[in-house]
Amino acid sequence: MESCVSTLLTKKGYKVNENAMEVIKACDDWYSVRLIEDFHKRKTVQGVSYTMNRLGFAKRCCSDDANLCEVLEVSTEDTEATQVLCEVLTHNEFPAQYRRQLERTSAAGTVACYIRLDNATIYDNDTVSGGEIRLNYVEPDAFIPLTVENDIITEAAFSGSALKQGKKETTLVLFLKNENGLYVAETHIFDEHGNEKGDGQTLILGEIKPFAVMRNAEVNNLDDMEGYGLPKLWNAIPILKVVDLCYNVLFSDLDKAEKILLVNEILCEMDKEGKPILTPEQKKLFVLMGEKLPTEKGVIQEYNPEIRIEEIVKCFELALSLLSMSFGYGTKKYSFQNGQITTATQYIGERQDQMQELNRQRQEAIRYIQDIGKAVLWFSNTFHNTKHDVNAPILVDFDDSYITDKESELERRRNDALSFDIPQLTIWYLMDAYSLSEEEAKALVEQKAKEDTDPEEED
């Protein structure tokens, strides 16, 4: 967070939660596969400095978490409202940004989004109309909860920096409630030196919250983090260190695993100074010269370093099991099985009892999308003169392809179609099995029925 932002918030009497920012920063470092100075920077027993390799498993964990909450469709009971909402979401690249935010929620615990108007017409009486409805997706470290009531964030601040004409510009937007219970949007812009440009702008909105917050559904048990979600990576950091250590042991063994040929100097031609002469081809093979070989067995000897693969795999198994537990999916979210790693989605497909974690997070995602949808419809009514019901239910359909076995599902539908004399079941099966449209599948079923009845008519 920029210092100009924290300074202005402090002036207004708000406290910036530095403790939460430190936790979020630590988790973001692991998610972004950054170098952790006090862990990845090391020295050998001889005092030689080196840098550990980073496996980046934190990113993999967060990505697998996000796969389980992918949204397939957002709709309402009102066709026109659905069309407006889908247009705004598509125009603002919501599917891609939401997928990105899911990962960030798992990593840092909290993401947010607020609605704004671009290119609107401002009249002399300070009223506004028209403009494009835009969604601003906010990173975890750019979100500051200001008022939290019963764990519900009612007032918040959002900051972000961008380059304009080659110069850095920072924007701070505060959404506060006035004495009438209406939301007020207060915008402040700072230049590259942290100086505020102008006196800021204020726009009175309505009762509908113009922002939405998505948090990790797990209860946040960390001190002094009110308003923030629990970063899943925070409790997993010690285990992520173990995973990196295991990876470096494996990397080190493989790095030193090249076969070495030891040769006695009596096989070599000597120069005038008595030093052995090797051709470039010989130098690729022979790496040790001396009067005697280490075991004194002969003039040429092979040395094949041992790769401790069995011990390393056992260490990985333990580390991955602990990591699986920390992410709430039992002990088999990641596991070596027949030389392969079983992922979260495969495991959930086999163990439906682990769906509880997924269902909790989906409920949080539904509330987030519904808050965005309600705010979009309110902006459309207020500034575009539409008349949508902002309190109408917003339906969210998730993509379950990650957690269902498609082949088993198709087999079940096939059996149902064969067992019951219901043409619609056959149509649905053909649509799913062969990617047909409903009209194409229906035509095939009708053609088959006609062929079955034709012999009876001839008789």
Side-chain angles (χ1 to χ4, degrees):
M1 182 187 300
E2 300 295 330
S3 59
C4 55
V5 171
S6 57
T7 300
L8 188 140
L9 289 173
T10 303
K11 252 186 215 182
K12 287 181 168 289
Y14 295 104
K15 177 188 174 184
V16 177
N17 192 335
E18 298 295 342
N19 177 68
M21 291 298 165
E22 289 178 7
V23 171
I24 290 171
K25 175 66 169 59
C27 294
D28 189 58
D29 286 344
W30 281 94
Y31 171 77
S32 302
V33 201
R34 297 191 183 104
L35 184 71
I36 311 299
E37 290 285 342
D38 59 353
F39 177 71
H40 291 117
K41 288 283 191 180
R42 297 191 164 228
K43 288 186 178 181
T44 65
V45 290
Q46 291 86 10
V48 179
S49 298
Y50 72 100
T51 302
M52 287 177 58
N53 294 285
R54 286 155 283 167
L55 186 58
F57 216 87
K59 172 67 171 66
R60 170 64 183 271
C61 293
C62 298
S63 179
D64 280 340
D65 252 13
N67 288 340
L68 304 176
C69 285
E70 288 269 20
V71 167
L72 197 62
E73 185 181 13
V74 179
S75 62
T76 70
E77 296 175 353
D78 183 349
T79 304
E80 292 183 1
T82 299
Q83 184 178 355
V84 169
L85 179 57
C86 289
E87 285 178 357
V88 172
L89 294 180
T90 302
H91 184 61
N92 287 275
E93 299 182 351
F94 181 78
Q97 292 292 339
Y98 167 75
R99 174 64 172 74
R100 184 171 181 271
Q101 287 198 308
L102 281 173
E103 285 194 29
R104 303 290 287 175
T105 302
S106 184
T110 312
V111 295
C113 174
Y114 68 88
I115 293 82
R116 74 172 197 269
L117 276 179
D118 279 357
N119 305 318
T121 302
I122 303 176
Y123 299 101
D124 293 337
N125 59 355
D126 291 335
T127 58
V128 178
S129 68
E132 293 179 80
I133 301 174
R134 304 290 293 176
L135 305 181
N136 261 47
Y137 306 99
V138 182
E139 296 292 304
D141 59 348
F143 163 70
I144 309 103
L146 301 178
T147 303
V148 182
E149 301 173 356
N150 296 324
D151 203 36
I152 298 173
I153 301 165
T154 57
E155 295 181 322
F158 307 88
S159 67
S161 298
L163 283 177
K164 290 199 175 178
Q165 298 180 343
K167 295 182 179 180
K168 183 178 179 181
E169 187 175 275
T170 301
T171 302
L172 171 65
V173 180
L174 293 87
F175 291 105
L176 310 172
K177 278 189 170 183
N178 62 16
E179 60 277 4
N180 298 320
L182 302 179
Y183 275 98
V184 177
E186 192 177 306
T187 305
H188 303 268
I189 299 176
F190 304 89
D191 62 20
E192 57 184 336
H193 303 294
N195 300 318
E196 187 171 359
K197 299 167 68 173
D199 297 328
Q201 295 180 346
T202 300
L203 177 65
I204 299 178
L205 301 175
E207 296 179 352
I208 300 297
K209 186 164 63 174
F211 63 89
V213 180
M214 180 165 60
R215 294 175 289 187
N216 177 20
E218 191 74 23
V219 175
N220 193 343
N221 63 322
L222 304 181
D223 293 332
D224 195 21
M225 285 196 67
E226 192 173 8
Y228 291 95
L230 173 67
K232 275 194 171 183
L233 288 185
W234 178 253
N235 293 326
I237 287 177
I239 311 166
L240 291 169
K241 290 181 178 180
V242 175
V243 172
D244 272 4
L245 287 170
C246 291
Y247 175 65
N248 275 270
V249 173
L250 176 62
F251 184 91
S252 177
D253 274 22
L254 293 174
D255 191 43
K256 300 170 185 175
E258 188 175 358
K259 180 173 68 175
I260 299 173
L261 289 177
L262 308 177
V263 61
N264 194 288
E265 65 180 20
I266 64 174
L267 296 179
C268 302
E269 182 182 352
M270 302 295 177
D271 61 14
K272 294 179 180 179
E273 298 179 357
K275 295 180 179 179
I277 300 174
L278 293 175
T279 66
E281 288 74 17
Q282 289 173 326
K283 287 180 179 179
K284 293 178 183 177
L285 296 174
F286 306 133
V287 297
L288 180 64
M289 303 298 297
E291 294 182 359
K292 295 181 181 180
L293 293 170
T295 57
E296 301 183 7
K297 288 182 179 178
V299 291
I300 296 179
Q301 180 184 333
E302 283 190 7
Y303 172 66
N304 294 290
E306 180 186 2
I307 302 176
R308 298 163 292 175
I309 189 67
E310 186 176 345
E311 292 83 355
I312 294 171
V313 167
K314 287 181 179 179
C315 292
F316 261 122
E317 280 281 6
L318 176 59
L320 293 177
S321 292
L322 292 172
L323 188 59
S324 299
M325 290 176 63
S326 72
F327 264 69
Y329 289 92
T331 58
K332 293 184 180 179
K333 181 176 181 182
Y334 301 105
S335 176
F336 288 110
Q337 293 182 0
N338 299 323
Q340 297 180 337
I341 293 182
T342 300
T343 64
T345 54
Q346 292 168 317
Y347 179 54
I348 288 180
E350 298 169 0
R351 293 287 302 275
Q352 294 297 322
D353 59 320
Q354 298 299 326
M355 288 289 289
Q356 293 180 357
E357 175 82 6
L358 168 62
N359 289 332
R360 285 200 301 268
Q361 192 56 47
R362 282 190 172 185
Q363 291 302 314
E364 184 71 23
I366 288 172
R367 284 191 290 269
Y368 177 65
I369 295 170
Q370 287 176 339
D371 285 348
I372 292 176
K374 188 179 293 188
V376 166
L377 295 179
W378 183 88
F379 268 70
S380 177
N381 289 346
T382 305
F383 303 109
H384 293 171
N385 297 319
T386 56
K387 298 186 182 299
H388 305 303
D389 182 6
V390 296
N391 294 314
I394 295 176
L395 309 176
V396 181
D397 186 16
F398 289 97
D399 183 2
D400 286 334
S401 61
Y402 290 100
I403 56 175
T404 57
D405 185 345
K406 187 176 181 181
E407 291 185 4
S408 299
E409 183 69 17
L410 282 175
E411 183 66 20
R412 183 184 66 80
R413 292 196 176 195
R414 178 178 178 274
N415 292 335
D416 287 347
L418 292 173
S419 301
F420 304 103
D421 188 18
I422 303 176
Q424 188 61 44
L425 292 179
T426 306
I427 291 172
W428 287 339
Y429 167 72
L430 292 174
M431 289 171 62
D432 288 341
Y434 302 103
S435 301
L436 301 177
S437 67
E438 186 170 2
E439 291 76 14
E440 292 171 332
K442 188 175 181 180
L444 289 174
V445 171
E446 291 175 350
Q447 181 181 347
K448 181 67 169 60
K450 183 178 180 182
E451 291 174 355
D452 292 342
T453 56
D454 281 345
E456 296 179 4
E457 292 176 358
E458 290 177 1
D459 292 341

